[in-house]
Amino acid sequence: MAHEKTSSPNPRAGVALAAGLVVCATAGLALAAPPKFRSAQPAAAEKVQVPAARVSAAEAAQRVLATHCIACHGEKSQMGGLRLDTRAALLKGGKRGPAFVAGSPEKSLMLKAVRHQGEVKMPPGGKLSPAEIQALTQWLATGAVYHTPTPQAPRVGGQAPAPNAQHPTPNAPNPLWAFRSLQRPQVPQVRNRWWVKNPIDAFVLAKLERQGLKPSPYADRRTLIRRVSLDLTGLPPTPEEVDAFLSDRSPNAYEKVVDRLLASKHYGERLAIKWLDLARYADSDGYHDDTDRSMWPYRDYVINAFNRNKPFDQFTIEQLAGDTLPNATDEQKIASAFNRCGPTSSEGGAIPEEYLAKYAVDRVNTTTSVWMGLTFGCAECHDHKYDPVTTREYYQFFAFFNQVPEQALYRGADAPPTLFHPTPEQKKRLDELAKLIPPAEEEAKPRTGVADPKAEMARVAEAKKKLEALTKERAEVEKHSKVRIMADVPQRRPTHILVRGDYAKKGEEVQPAVPAVLGKLPEGIASPRLALAKWLVDPSNPLTPRVTVNRFWEMVFGHGLARSSDDFGSRGERPTHPDLLDWIASVFASPERTEGENEAVGAPHPAGTASNLQPSTFNFQPESGLGWKTKELLKLIVMSATYQQSSRVTPGLVAKDPDNRLLARGPRFRMPAEMIRDNALAISGLLDRERAVGGPSVKPYQPGDLWRELSAGDQEAKSYVQDHGPDLYRRGLYTFWKRSVLFPAFAVFDAPKREVCTVQRPITNTPLQAFATLNDTAYVEAARVFAQRILQQGGPTVDARLDYAYRRALARPATPAERQVLTRILNRSLAHYRADAKGATQLVSVGEFARLSELDVSELAAWTCVCNALLNLDETITKE
C-alpha cells in the first residue's frame, strides 16, 4: 500500500471499507464462478551404443546424485571413504564395501541406504522422494552406466588442463541429450488420428495413449479466444472481437483470429516481455548509484524485430555482433546493445580492472544462458562439476566479450561506445538549440565603447547565463540521445584465465573458442564475436534451436518440454517429450519449404461431425521448415489440438498427472506482472490500444517516493518524478525499470530486477499481491474508469451491467450465482456511500483520468467496488 503523509489528504479514503467488502466478496465470487482447477525417447535416426532406456536412467540418476550425494561423496570429499562420481568408484565402494553389486542391484548398499532399510540411512537431511529412489533403482537395475562423467578438478594457477578423457567430444557415442546432433524424428502413428491437427498432437497423443489417457475436450470458444489473445498479444480480447469469433462459423475461424493476433503490433510487445528478462534490460545502471541510462532504443528494436518476424538466426547475429556486420545499419548497431544492457558501476572507490572483468563475465553468462541453456558460469572459478565445460573453456568464451572500449566506471547515460539516435522530439529540440546558441554566443560577448560599462557588465553576465543554460540543455539532450552499443578495440586485448575468478590473478593466455564438446567456430570470419554468433545458429549446433523452442513453449504452456529451461546440462530435467522437442526444434531451424513439396499432416474431421464449430486444422507439411520464424512457430503451437484443450481437470488427471506433464489438458497459470496491470488497463479502457509502439520509458503512479527513500543519502535529486496524461497508461514493458527500486506493482508479482539474465520467473502467491491490486492507485483508478464505462454503456439494469462487465473482463457473461454475489456487493457499497458522501467523492477521485460529472457519485463509488472485485478475481489475472 502507498505510504501517505499523515498531514496530506488520503486520495483513497473511503476505499478501506470497500476493500474489505471486495475481499470477502471476491471469495464469494470464487465459489460462484464456474468450477476451475489450478493446473499448474531418443531421435529415431540417431544411433547410440547404449540403449535409450539406460541413457535416460543414467541422466535421471545423475541428477539425484548431483543434488544429494556428490557434495559428500565426490572428488573433493569422500565421507566414509565413498566416492560416487565415477562407476569405478561406485563399484569399489567405501569403508562398508561396494556401493553397487553388479548383477544384483537389490543387494547394493546404496539402494538399502536410500530406502532406509539398513543401518545407514542416506542422505542425512531426510529421505529422498519416491521418484528419486525409483530413479536410482532403475539406474542400478540397468547397470549403473554413467552417462556424463564429472569433469576433472579445476586447474591451479591458470595452467592448461591435461587432455580430459572424461569430456565427451562431438563424435562420442553418448553425449548429454541436449548435445546430441539434432535429427527430425518420425511423426508417430496414433489410434485416435482424428484428434491430430498437426504433428505436435501426434507426439502428445502417442504418449497419452501409452499411458491409457485421453486428451481433454476442446476449450469453449470464449475461453479459447481469451487464451490465445493473452498469449500472442498480452491483452484480453474486446467484446467485439469475441462476438465476431462466436458468430464466425467458417472452418478457419480460429485460424483467422490467430493470424490477426500475429499481425498485431501488440504481438511484439508481448514477446518482448520475456526477451527483456533474458537481456537483463533496464533503464538504470544498477550497483550503488544506479544512474539513469537511455537503453530504450534496444527495447524498441526487440519489439519491432518480433513484429516484423525477423528470423531468429538473424535476430541472434544482430544482437551478438550487429556492430561487426559489413556496412552495419543503425538498427544492427542498436541490436548489439544486448551486451551493453548489463549493470555497470560508477563508484569512485571501485577498481576499473575488476569491473571490466565483471562486465565480461556478465556477457558470458548471459549469452550462454540465452542461447545454450547452460549453467556456464559455474566454470568461472573451477571446472564445471557436472557438465563438460572447463575453466579454460570459460575464459576462451570470455575472450569474445572483453574487447569493448568502455570506461569501467563511467558516470552518465551516454557511457561510450554509443550511437547517436535521437527521437524526433530530441532532434527537433537540438535543431532549435542549434539556431539559438550562435546568437546567444554573440550576445554574450562584451561590447566596447559603451556609455555605461557597469550596465554592459550586467548585460553580459545575463547573456552568459542564458548561453550557459542553452549549452547545458544541448549537452543533456545529446547525452540522452545516445544508446550504448558494442564495439571492439582496434588491437585485441590479451585474455588470461583468471585463477579462481580473481581478476588480479592471471594465468595462461587463451584465445576465443567454444567448448570442445560442441565443435569449433566457423573459419574465415574476421570478427570472433561474429563467428560466435554464426556458430550459435549454425545447423550443426543442436543447443540453440532446442533451447529456443523450449522457451517459446514455456511462454505458452507455463512450463517447457524440458522444465529446467535454464539448465540443459546434466542437472537439468530431461524433456517430458524429447521427440516432440527435437521435432519442433528441427522444424524451427530448417529452411522454409517451397510450395507443393508434400502432403499436409493432420487429418480432416470425419464427415457429418460439427468440425466447422471447432478450430480449423492447420495444414503443416512434414518436411517443412520454418526458417527460424517465430510467428510461424507460435502459430504451429497454438493451432495444435494440444493447445486448444480445456484446462478443466478431472480427479483422474489429478491423480495421474497433477502437473500436466503429459499435456492431457490445456494450460492455466497466472499472468506475468506487466500483463496483470495491462489487463486491468485494457478492461477499464484506460489503455490506448492505438498508440504506436516504442518510445522512452515512462513513470506511472508509484507509492510514496521510494526512489528518494532508498537512494544513497536520501537525495532530492533522486526523487521519482511521475509522468502525467497518456504516459500513465502505457503498457507495463514501457515502465521505467530501475534496478535498485523495482516498480512495486511488478516486484510483488515476481518480476526480476534484471541485474542478471532471468530465464524463468517464479510464480508466487502472497498477501502483498492483494494489497497491490486492491489499493494501488493504478488499479483503483482502473476500477473507477471501468465503473464509468459500465454505467455509460452497460444498459439500464443491474443484470445487464454485470453481464457487460463480465464480457469485458472475462469474455463471458456472468452466471446467476455471480450476479447474486455482485448485486449484494453493489447494494452494500451503495448504502455505505450514500451515508458517506465525502468517502464516495474521495474514492471516485483516485487517479488523474477525468471523472464524468453527470454520474451520481455514490452510485459510481459503489460500482467501483464491484469493478475492484472483478479485477481481483483469480480468473481475471489467470490465463487459462
Side-chain angles (χ1 to χ4, degrees):
M1 296 176 66
H3 298 288
E4 302 286 348
K5 296 181 185 291
T6 55
S7 58
S8 302
N10 187 341
R12 285 188 289 279
V15 178
L17 174 60
L21 297 174
V22 167
V23 171
C24 297
T26 302
L29 284 174
L31 297 174
K36 309 286 180 183
F37 196 95
R38 188 184 297 272
S39 60
Q41 308 173 14
E46 199 163 344
K47 296 181 180 179
V48 296
Q49 293 183 0
V50 177
R54 294 176 70 187
V55 172
S56 177
E59 290 176 345
Q62 283 187 260
R63 284 195 297 274
V64 179
L65 294 176
T67 303
H68 299 286
C69 309
I70 297 300
C72 298
H73 303 288
E75 179 186 31
K76 290 188 175 183
S77 176
Q78 296 93 41
M79 295 184 68
L82 176 63
R83 184 171 175 176
L84 297 175
D85 57 343
T86 68
R87 191 171 189 274
L90 178 75
L91 290 167
K92 179 182 177 182
K95 295 177 181 178
R96 295 177 182 272
F100 167 58
V101 181
S104 301
E106 290 296 322
K107 297 180 181 179
S108 300
L109 291 178
M110 170 187 274
L111 208 54
K112 292 180 180 179
V114 298
R115 289 176 173 175
H116 289 198
Q117 292 175 341
E119 180 183 348
V120 178
K121 295 176 175 58
M122 290 289 163
K127 192 173 182 180
L128 298 175
S129 70
E132 290 171 324
I133 294 173
Q134 178 59 31
L136 292 176
T137 303
Q138 179 68 19
W139 175 58
L140 295 175
T142 56
V145 173
Y146 276 75
H147 179 58
T148 307
T150 304
Q152 290 183 350
R155 309 294 173 260
V156 179
Q159 299 172 0
N164 189 348
Q166 291 184 337
H167 281 192
T169 66
N171 297 319
N174 295 303
L176 183 68
W177 71 267
F179 293 177
R180 297 176 198 153
S181 62
L182 185 60
Q183 306 289 337
R184 187 176 302 192
Q186 284 289 109
V187 178
Q189 297 295 317
V190 293
R191 292 192 296 273
N192 183 18
R193 63 191 183 93
W194 304 114
W195 186 74
V196 175
K197 290 184 175 294
N198 66 42
I200 288 175
D201 304 323
F203 287 99
V204 171
L205 185 58
K207 190 157 189 171
L208 289 176
E209 289 180 343
R210 288 196 298 270
Q211 299 290 328
L213 295 173
K214 294 181 179 179
S216 294
Y218 283 112
D220 66 82
R221 282 194 159 206
R222 293 179 183 275
T223 298
L224 188 58
I225 189 173
R226 183 173 183 267
R227 175 190 297 173
V228 75
S229 296
L230 290 169
D231 276 335
L232 296 184
T233 67
L235 298 175
T238 66
E240 294 75 21
E241 290 167 346
V242 175
D243 291 344
F245 179 49
L246 294 177
S247 62
D248 187 348
R249 295 300 178 183
S250 62
N252 65 335
Y254 175 63
E255 187 173 359
K256 286 189 286 186
V257 170
V258 171
D259 288 340
R260 172 179 60 79
L261 295 170
L262 290 171
S264 167
K265 62 175 178 252
H266 301 304
Y267 164 82
E269 294 175 322
R270 168 67 184 99
L271 267 65
I273 292 174
K274 191 168 184 71
W275 191 264
L276 295 178
D277 281 358
L278 297 171
R280 70 270 189 252
Y281 167 86
D283 297 293
S284 68
D285 286 347
Y287 289 111
H288 85 293
D289 197 49
D290 207 17
T291 306
D292 293 0
R293 57 168 62 169
S294 295
M295 295 298 289
W296 59 265
Y298 169 75
R299 180 243 292 143
D300 291 358
Y301 162 84
V302 172
I303 297 170
N304 292 325
F306 281 124
N307 275 338
R308 295 203 299 266
N309 206 19
K310 182 170 289 190
F312 190 81
D313 56 347
Q314 183 182 348
F315 186 59
T316 296
I317 290 169
E318 290 180 352
Q319 290 186 90
L320 291 179
D323 59 298
T324 70
L325 293 171
N327 303 313
T329 64
D330 282 0
E331 180 187 53
Q332 290 168 333
K333 292 176 182 177
I334 289 171
S336 77
F338 173 87
N339 266 317
R340 297 294 308 285
C341 281
T344 56
S345 179
S346 58
E347 184 179 357
I351 302 171
E353 189 177 3
E354 178 183 11
Y355 276 82
L356 286 176
K358 285 179 180 287
Y359 303 159
V361 163
D362 167 71
R363 291 164 189 147
V364 172
N365 296 347
T366 298
T367 300
T368 53
S369 293
V370 172
W371 281 278
M372 299 167 67
L374 297 179
T375 55
F376 212 77
C378 295
E380 180 187 353
C381 303
H382 53 73
D383 288 356
H384 203 297
K385 291 185 177 297
Y386 309 106
D387 296 337
V389 180
T390 66
T391 300
R392 176 185 177 84
E393 289 170 329
Y394 183 90
Y395 286 99
Q396 288 175 325
F397 219 93
F398 183 98
F400 293 113
F401 298 111
N402 69 336
Q403 305 297 319
V404 186
E406 58 188 330
Q407 299 178 39
L409 306 176
Y410 189 92
R411 182 184 293 272
D414 56 338
T418 59
L419 176 72
F420 185 62
H421 187 72
T423 64
E425 293 77 13
Q426 288 169 331
K427 187 177 184 308
K428 179 182 178 182
R429 185 54 183 162
L430 288 172
D431 289 343
E432 292 171 349
L433 290 169
K435 294 177 181 179
L436 294 172
I437 288 177
E441 289 174 333
E442 289 298 319
E443 189 177 352
K445 294 177 181 178
R447 294 175 294 188
T448 58
V450 295
D452 188 348
K454 190 173 181 179
E456 176 63 10
M457 289 176 61
R459 185 196 66 78
V460 169
E462 189 64 29
K464 285 183 176 180
K465 284 183 183 179
K466 178 181 177 183
L467 176 61
E468 182 181 357
L470 291 173
T471 54
K472 184 178 179 180
E473 182 184 359
R474 179 176 63 183
E476 193 68 16
V477 175
E478 287 176 344
K479 179 174 72 173
H480 290 283
S481 300
K482 297 175 182 177
V483 58
R484 304 178 191 190
I485 61 171
M486 284 290 279
D488 287 339
V489 291
Q491 184 67 35
R492 288 192 66 82
R493 297 170 180 150
T495 301
H496 296 266
I497 294 174
L498 303 182
V499 181
R500 300 295 185 187
D502 187 343
Y503 77 96
K505 294 182 180 178
K506 294 183 179 179
E508 177 197 359
E509 185 175 345
V510 294
Q511 300 301 319
V514 296
V517 71
L518 291 168
K520 296 181 179 180
L521 289 172
E523 297 179 353
I525 300 175
S527 165
R529 254 192 308 120
L530 182 56
L532 171 66
K534 291 190 174 183
W535 170 79
L536 282 169
V537 293
D538 187 275
S540 65
N541 188 334
L543 274 176
T544 299
R546 281 189 177 116
V547 168
T548 303
V549 300
N550 189 68
R551 200 168 284 138
F552 282 115
W553 187 278
E554 180 181 66
M555 184 189 85
V556 170
F557 283 92
H559 54 76
L561 293 167
R563 292 214 170 191
S564 53
S565 58
D566 58 342
D567 188 358
F568 272 47
S570 298
R571 298 191 74 183
E573 189 171 334
R574 186 178 172 83
T576 54
H577 299 71
D579 282 1
L580 174 56
L581 178 59
D582 278 7
W583 186 88
I584 301 176
S586 172
V587 166
F588 180 58
S590 296
E592 292 181 272
R593 153 190 184 281
T594 58
E595 290 296 325
E597 285 183 6
N598 295 286
E599 295 300 319
V601 171
H605 289 276
T609 65
S611 60
N612 65 318
L613 300 181
Q614 297 293 352
S616 67
T617 295
F618 173 48
N619 292 332
F620 183 81
Q621 316 307 322
E623 299 304 321
S624 290
L626 300 181
W628 295 94
K629 300 286 186 66
T630 56
K631 285 189 178 183
E632 282 76 353
L633 171 64
L634 285 167
K635 182 172 182 179
L636 182 67
I637 293 172
V638 302
M639 290 299 297
S640 69
T642 303
Y643 174 82
Q644 297 172 44
Q645 295 176 97
S646 168
S647 61
R648 294 171 186 263
V649 65
T650 64
L653 279 180
V654 173
K656 285 193 173 184
D657 188 21
D659 294 330
N660 199 25
R661 293 183 175 229
L662 298 175
L663 300 168
R665 59 184 183 273
R668 186 180 196 274
F669 55 93
R670 198 198 69 208
M671 300 178 203
E674 299 93 323
M675 283 175 55
I676 292 174
R677 179 175 172 274
D678 293 348
N679 195 46
L681 295 178
I683 291 169
S684 68
L686 284 169
L687 185 73
D688 184 0
R689 292 177 183 252
E690 301 306 314
R691 184 166 177 174
V693 302
S697 298
V698 297
K699 297 173 182 174
Y701 306 116
Q702 181 168 285
D705 191 355
L706 298 176
W707 282 23
R708 178 173 179 176
E709 291 174 20
L710 297 176
S711 67
D714 190 17
Q715 306 169 51
E716 185 175 357
K718 297 288 185 180
S719 291
Y720 182 83
V721 181
Q722 178 194 299
D723 286 326
H724 302 281
D727 283 349
L728 290 172
Y729 314 115
R730 294 225 70 182
R731 292 194 66 170
L733 84 163
Y734 299 115
T735 298
F736 195 98
W737 211 276
K738 190 173 182 68
R739 287 187 163 105
S740 61
V741 192
L742 182 58
F743 188 62
F746 295 167
V748 296
F749 282 105
D750 309 308
K753 290 185 175 182
R754 295 182 178 158
E755 293 171 335
V756 294
C757 168
T758 302
V759 176
Q760 291 177 304
R761 291 189 186 185
I763 297 181
T764 64
N765 291 293
T766 70
L768 190 58
Q769 293 165 349
F771 278 117
T773 53
L774 284 167
N775 295 284
D776 185 274
T777 300
Y779 290 97
V780 176
E781 181 182 34
R784 190 254 300 175
V785 176
F786 188 16
Q788 290 183 178
R789 172 169 281 197
I790 291 169
L791 292 172
Q792 279 188 304
Q793 303 173 13
T797 67
V798 170
D799 282 355
R801 289 172 175 177
L802 290 176
D803 274 348
Y804 174 84
Y806 264 77
R807 287 199 307 273
R808 288 204 64 85
L810 297 169
R812 65 174 180 83
T815 66
E818 288 167 336
R819 290 195 197 100
Q820 185 178 5
V821 172
L822 286 170
T823 300
R824 190 161 59 245
I825 295 177
L826 178 65
N827 291 336
R828 290 172 62 188
S829 299
L830 190 58
H832 171 75
Y833 286 116
R834 294 277 190 223
D836 184 9
K838 182 179 178 181
T841 301
Q842 288 176 324
L843 175 60
V844 301
S845 301
V846 172
E848 295 186 3
F849 193 82
R851 172 167 64 89
L852 297 178
S853 58
E854 63 269 25
L855 296 178
D856 178 80
V857 171
S858 298
E859 186 178 24
L860 178 57
W863 275 99
T864 298
C865 293
V866 171
C867 292
N868 202 355
L870 284 175
L871 295 180
N872 275 274
L873 286 177
D874 175 75
E875 186 179 354
T876 306
I877 64 173
T878 299
K879 186 215 74 171
E880 63 176 325

